[in-house]
Structure formats: structure tokens, C-alpha cells
Amino acid sequence: MSDRYLAFANSAAGRRLLRTLGLPTPVRLERWLPGRSRTLDGALLLGGDGALLESLPGFAHKLSGELYADRPERFGLPCWRRTDDARLKALVFDASGLSRFEQLGELRTFFQPELKHLAPCPRLLVLGRAPESLDDPQAASVQRALEGFTRSLGKEVRRGGCVQLLYVGEGAEPRLEGALRFFLSPKSAYVSGQVLRLAPCAAQVKDWTRPLAGKTALVTGASRGIGAAIAETLARDGAEVVLLDVPAAADALAALAARFGGSALTLDICSEDAPARLVEALPEGIDILVHNAGITRDKTLAKMNEAQWEAVIEVNLQAPHLLTQALLQAGKLREQGRVVLIASISGIAGNPGQSNYATSKAGLIGLAQAWAPTLAGRGISINAVAPGFIETRMTAAMPLALREAGRRMNALGQGGLPQDVAETVAWLAQPGSGAVSGQVLRVCGQSLLGA
Ligand code: NAI
């Protein structure tokens, strides 16, 4: 559904009027277009004092054609000096070396001079060490403090900018390339204010133009909306995709499968024989499992009947659990497999009228957290992706006032697109993304709802 406010804010007259009235002027976000290969169109500045920075120059030239360092004679890179017509597109600050409170000011010193002069849709990234990995209380506190800084900067940065914090574990440095290729590119257009932990992971992408080549993926609820976008994006990245949806969606499913060169599987994931049928339909097994199928039956708890409660728990939570379990037991989820559960920010923040839905989505987050340690032994990762307001049929059907509130109540002032969720899933599905497991990644434009 078209966002008329966004279109108006991006017209010359609209921008003038909204600024005069002091109203927000969301910008059109840059997104990854077919045929693009470079992560960044613009200058990338590397700075900070930690050991993590050392690992960046080895691959950073593949991300941007214009690389700068924050001081002279560093990594053989030119030192950044802002001129009137030169703007930074991305900044990466290694804060992993900060261990004293008085050093926190280095964050301000690094970012502040550039904030009013950034290129459109800039990407800002802070690197640190997970506080729980540090023995010294002050050092742990300083690293934890990075979260507050990152999330605040995400809410301040203008012109479609996104800010993230990555805590990089010892030995996980080689996985930074995959993470930066996602977080510094328009693939993460609607991801901001996020904090992720990277752990060592043996697998790596071999060909960055087709990072999922040789992999087979199953996507549930793939006949439309976010599921169709996920299937398309996984296929773009080289995966062979099996698209699953209810029998009633057979025609749409077959058409999409033909378009992406994948195969269609009609199955109600809640039917009693669904686990057995799924195992039978995947004789060769799969590498990537995306539980996207989901429903809403919104009512306040006072008015919700048993059927509304049960249907949502069954489709959104119980079925993903039973199907994953069946695939694992039958050995159909291969070593280095990637499981992604599509949750929702409702499952994090709660939402009136959605106690059933929020329960199911919070349960999915619980599944990712509970399963991650067990699956790690086989190199399998499992994560939840929590979309915020995404422009789909589901949100188009919302009452106008709620829809407008959902669109604007985030740092980017607009709804996301199915593609934004799909790009995030595609990144988590990559071999090197085994570095992330048992975590939740929100695709919500840094929604003001929830943490
Ligand atoms: P949608 O309603 O357009 O698509 C859901 C798909 O799941 C449909 O194709 C449907 O046929 C399929 N499905 C439902 N029950 C099924 C069953 N028993 N067996 C097999 N397939 C079944 O929804 P949309 O908007 O694309 O959402 C996709 C996922 O993203 C859902 O899990 C939803 O909860 C989640 N989500 C969506 C948000 C949004 O803003 N649209 C926000 C947060 C989460």
C-alpha cells in the first residue's frame, strides 16, 4: 500500500511545508537493487583504537572504493579530511579497546564532527566486546554503555541513517566481512539500533555474488507477502528454494516457484500428518529453514474466544516447533544448517488486541534461545527475525489511525518493505552467519515500541 505521507515529504513542496510546520520528513530509503555488487556507494571511514580494527583493512577495500582512516599513517589509508563536497557514507568505530569511563568520550570525538555532513542513508557501526566476556567490572560497564550510545544515535541520525553495535567474540573477527557486507549496505535499509553478538564460526561464504549457492531452502507461507520476498531473495542469492503454503494458495505458489526456479509444496503446517509429509517431501534434506507462515486473530483478551487463541498458537508457534523437531530427528536439516523464525516486535513489546499473537511470537524467540546451544554442536544456527511495521496486506487492512501510528513510530518515520525482512533472513542464512545464533534481529526501523 502506498505511503502518501512519505511521497509528500519527498516532494519539493511537501518537504518545505513539513519543515515549516516542524513535522517529520522521512526520506526514501536506499535499497539493494538487482545487479548491484558493491556494498557501499561512497566513502567509508575506519576509526577507533581496539584490536578489531586490524581485521578490517584486509577486506574493507572490497566494500568501498573510497577508504579512509581517522588518523594519518594508519593501514596505509588516506586520513579523512572533510571538505565541502566530500561526504562520508559510512563510519565504523572500533570501541573494543575502551575500558575506562573517561574513554567513552572517544565515541563523541569520532562521530560528532561528521553527523551534520553525512551522505544520504548513511551507515554507522560500533564494534565492541561482549560485556559478559570481560572480568573487569569497569571495562564490562564501558562495553555495555555502547548499547545506550548506539540506540540513541540511531534515534538522532538523520536522512535515513542506521546505527548498529556488534559485539565481536575472540576468534569471530573473520566473520566481520559478512556482517559488514550486510550492515553497511542498503540490504539493512530498515534495520537500526540493533545489538548483535558474533561468535567464531567455521563456515564462510565462498562467492559473495551468490552467497547461498549450493544450498537448499524451505520457506513456509511463501505464496505472498514477506514469505514470497524471502523466497525470491534466497533464490537471488543462489539457493534452490522449496516454497510451502496452504493448498488454497496452490496457484500463486506454483507461479512463484516457476518464476524463481524453485519447487512448490502445498501443506497445511498444522495438519496432523504435516511433520511426516514434510520429511517425506524433502528426501535430500535442506540447509535453510525459514518459518514465516503466520496468522493474526486480533481481539482484546476480554473478547477473545478459544478458537482465536488456539489457531494463532498452533500456526505461529506449535507448528514451527513440531516441523523443526521432525526435520532434525529425520536428519533432514544438514550440518551448518540455518533456521530463521519470523517473530514480531509484538512478541517483544506486546500489543493491545494481540495477546495471542504476541504470546506466539515471544514463544518463537524462546525457541531460538532454547535450541541454539543444542544445535551449535552440528554448526546449525537458529535465530528470530522480528519485523516491525511492514507494508503488506496484513498492515494494509489495519484501521487508518493505527496504520499511520505504526508507520511513523520508528526512527525512520516509515514502514518497512517485505524486501527488508527478506534481506535480513538471507544474511542470517549465509554460511558465515553461523556466527549469530540464539538471537533476535529486529527489522523495525528502530521502532519506538519495546527495548
Ligand atoms: P501474510 O498473511 O501475507 O502471509 C502469511 C502466509 O502464511 C500466507 O501465504 C498464508 O497462506 C500462510 N499460512 C498461514 N497459515 C498457514 C498454514 N497453516 N500452513 C501453511 N501456510 C500458512 O503475512 P505477512 O504479512 O507476509 O507476514 C509473514 C510473517 O511475518 C508472519 O509470520 C507474520 O506474523 C510476520 N510479521 C508480519 C508483519 C507485517 O507487518 N506484515 C510484522 C511482524 C511480523
Side-chain angles (χ1 to χ4, degrees), residues 221-227 244-246 249 267-270 292-295 315 342-344 357 361 387-390 392-395:
S223 73
R224 64 182 201 209
I226 294 172
L244 180 153
D245 214 304
V246 288
L267 182 69
D268 179 340
I269 56 170
C270 294
N292 163 79
I295 59 169
V315 178
I342 305 299
S344 163
Y357 183 76
K361 296 299 189 180
F389 184 100
I390 306 296
T392 60
R393 270 202 225 181
M394 190 175 100
T395 46

Side-chain angles (χ1 to χ4, degrees), residues 49-98:
D49 257 330
L52 293 173
L53 203 64
E54 307 282 328
S55 54
L56 302 190
F59 64 83
H61 63 280
K62 293 191 260 173
L63 310 184
S64 161
E66 297 172 67
L67 267 189
Y68 296 92
D70 59 344
R71 62 192 77 148
E73 290 169 43
R74 240 190 156 183
F75 314 121
L77 296 175
C79 178
W80 171 249
R81 302 234 181 283
R82 189 161 35 75
T83 57
D84 282 348
D85 54 350
R87 288 175 185 273
L88 288 171
K89 182 73 176 175
L91 290 87
V92 177
F93 183 76
D94 180 5
S96 65
L98 308 186

